Amino acid sequence: MRPGRAAVAAASLASAALSAHSLVNLRRLRAAPDLPGTGRAPGMDLRVTVLIPARDEAHRIGPCLESLRVQRHPGLRVLVLDDGSSDATADVVLRAGAVDPRLSLLTGGDDPLPPGWLGKPWACHRLADAALADDEPDLLLFLDADVVLAPDAVARVAALMATTPLALACPYPRQVAVTAAERLIQPLLQWSWLTTLPLGLAERSPRPSLTAANGQVVAVRTAAYRSIGGHGCVRDQVLEDIALARAIKAAGGRAGVTDGTQLASCRMYEGAGAVVDGYAKSLWSAFGSPVGALAVAAGLTALYVLPPVAAVTAPTRATRVLGCAGYLAAVAGRVAVARRTGQRVPDSLGHPMSILALDALVGVSWWRRHRGTLAWKGRALPTLPDRAAGATGAPR
């Protein structure tokens, strides 16, 4: 069935409006301040403890730890939890600790998870407990083991927290995408919240639906973290980063995403299989229900697939022109986000295919949940009710 002119016009207009909104957001997006060439930088007096949960990360954690070794922020500590790894993760961390006395290794994770806890929240909880038991840092900086920091990243994150009202900030790293599957999906992470979320309002509003986060890099003030009970309040959440930000906002604090393109990079998944497994484990929790997921997928398809289809197949020139305009509007939004976030600009041309791929991943995620086959890094994921419905974040 060929698309009608009215439907194509509506989709193209909406696509253009959302791309315009992404341009507004790009102007408002917070970024960590540059450090002064001389003098004392803001946040230099803040004590920062970096917390890294690591499970079977021997092949990726080395660059992360090396990037931490060169950080020169005073008062920096680094704690790594070997979360029951079956590989040489602990050995890699111990070698790094031998040349960086600020780095300590915690072991554990071989025992079954406590009832009601998922793996990553439990690991983060144990790390935070260890950090707060030995010291009282001003900031906790949760870091995924596949994140590589710029040399001044910790100091600039401390400056960000010292100069803004944020109680929790997620400096969004540059997403490294190498294979075709990665390049198809990964750019949608930042594009999604920059296109749909009013950032200024989202930072101030306690509404759960106005929340974005990314667990790859999470900086949280210790006092705010304590006030919500730490990761204990998000123990059963697949998207624990979103849930943590929502808890901070519900308690009266501000939380939001910031531009971390110049601070860190991360290759979340390597290859098509990892992309499918990584997103399948958590996308089901992003939209609340199968009906919600279907509605979101249908809406995205209508906005971003219908216009280019019409541009090629519509019977009238006017409808084809409308479809072409809608496609170009969507690509313009993707290009603007790609330029700001360090993505490949030409990949923006494949935006309709990216949307279809995302639709497929949502379907796979719900199918696996229905069959009870969700798992990650050797752990089955229980089908607990997830309170992070409607989330905008990076599934880990």
Side-chain angles (χ1 to χ4, degrees):
M1 182 177 181
R2 290 172 174 173
R5 183 183 302 180
V8 174
S12 298
L13 182 62
S15 178
L18 287 170
S19 290
H21 182 250
S22 70
L23 298 178
V24 173
N25 271 341
L26 287 169
R27 291 179 61 87
R28 293 179 175 175
L29 182 61
R30 290 188 188 273
D34 292 327
L35 301 180
T38 60
R40 190 172 182 83
M44 188 175 291
D45 57 337
L46 296 179
R47 290 168 299 170
V48 181
T49 298
V50 175
L51 306 174
I52 306 175
R55 180 175 173 87
D56 294 337
E57 297 285 2
H59 63 302
R60 299 204 291 183
I61 198 171
C64 175
L65 298 179
E66 175 60 22
S67 73
L68 283 163
R69 186 185 66 81
V70 302
Q71 303 294 317
R72 291 294 178 259
H73 182 76
L76 174 64
R77 292 182 64 214
V78 180
L79 297 180
V80 180
L81 173 69
D82 177 27
D83 186 18
S85 297
S86 59
D87 63 7
T89 295
D91 295 333
V92 176
V93 178
L94 288 172
R95 286 196 295 270
V99 296
D100 187 353
R102 300 170 301 177
L103 170 61
S104 300
L105 173 67
L106 307 177
T107 58
D110 295 323
D111 297 331
L113 293 172
W117 284 84
L118 294 181
K120 186 175 180 181
W122 176 239
C124 290
H125 172 78
R126 294 186 61 196
L127 282 163
D129 269 2
L132 298 177
D134 294 341
D135 196 3
E136 186 65 21
D138 300 293
L139 293 177
L140 300 175
L141 182 58
F142 292 94
L143 205 66
D144 279 349
D146 49 6
V147 171
V148 178
L149 297 178
D152 59 355
V154 173
R156 291 183 65 188
V157 169
L160 172 73
M161 300 303 286
T163 57
T164 69
L166 293 170
L168 179 148
C170 297
Y172 221 111
R174 180 175 66 87
Q175 300 300 306
V176 178
V178 179
T179 66
E182 296 167 58
R183 292 168 61 182
L184 199 61
I185 292 296
Q186 294 304 94
L188 294 181
L189 290 174
Q190 285 139 302
W191 169 84
S192 62
W193 53 266
L194 280 166
T195 300
T196 62
L197 196 68
L199 292 184
L201 178 61
E203 187 181 290
R204 300 186 302 271
S205 172
R207 290 178 61 89
S209 59
L210 293 175
T211 305
N214 181 357
Q216 294 169 351
V217 182
V218 178
V220 58
R221 299 180 192 273
T222 299
Y225 184 79
R226 284 188 180 276
S227 73
I228 62 170
H231 276 80
C233 73
V234 299
R235 67 188 64 189
D236 59 353
Q237 300 302 290
V238 173
L239 296 177
E240 86 295 330
D241 48 359
I242 293 287
L244 199 68
R246 286 175 170 172
I248 291 286
K249 292 168 70 173
R254 290 194 180 191
V257 286
T258 65
D259 185 6
T261 305
Q262 302 303 319
L263 302 183
S265 62
C266 179
R267 186 179 181 187
M268 280 176 61
Y269 305 124
E270 299 181 7
V275 168
V276 172
D277 290 342
Y279 280 91
K281 78 173 176 61
S282 51
L283 267 180
W284 67 268
S285 69
F287 308 114
S289 67
V291 173
L294 181 61
V296 170
L300 289 173
T301 303
L303 289 180
Y304 297 113
V305 179
L306 177 62
V309 169
V312 175
T313 66
T316 66
R317 182 175 183 276
T319 305
R320 292 195 297 272
V321 169
L322 284 171
C324 186
Y327 167 71
L328 292 175
V331 168
R334 272 285 300 267
V335 166
V337 173
R339 289 172 61 88
R340 177 66 177 270
T341 60
Q343 298 297 315
R344 290 181 173 90
V345 170
D347 289 351
S348 304
L349 297 173
H351 188 57
M353 296 304 297
S354 292
I355 296 299
L356 291 174
L358 177 63
D359 291 347
L361 287 175
V362 172
V364 170
S365 182
W366 273 105
W367 175 245
R368 291 187 181 180
R369 184 172 189 262
H370 174 72
R371 298 190 65 189
T373 58
L374 294 174
W376 187 242
K377 292 190 176 181
R379 284 175 173 157
L381 297 178
T383 53
L384 298 170
D386 195 279
R387 299 187 298 273
T392 303
R396 298 296 289 171

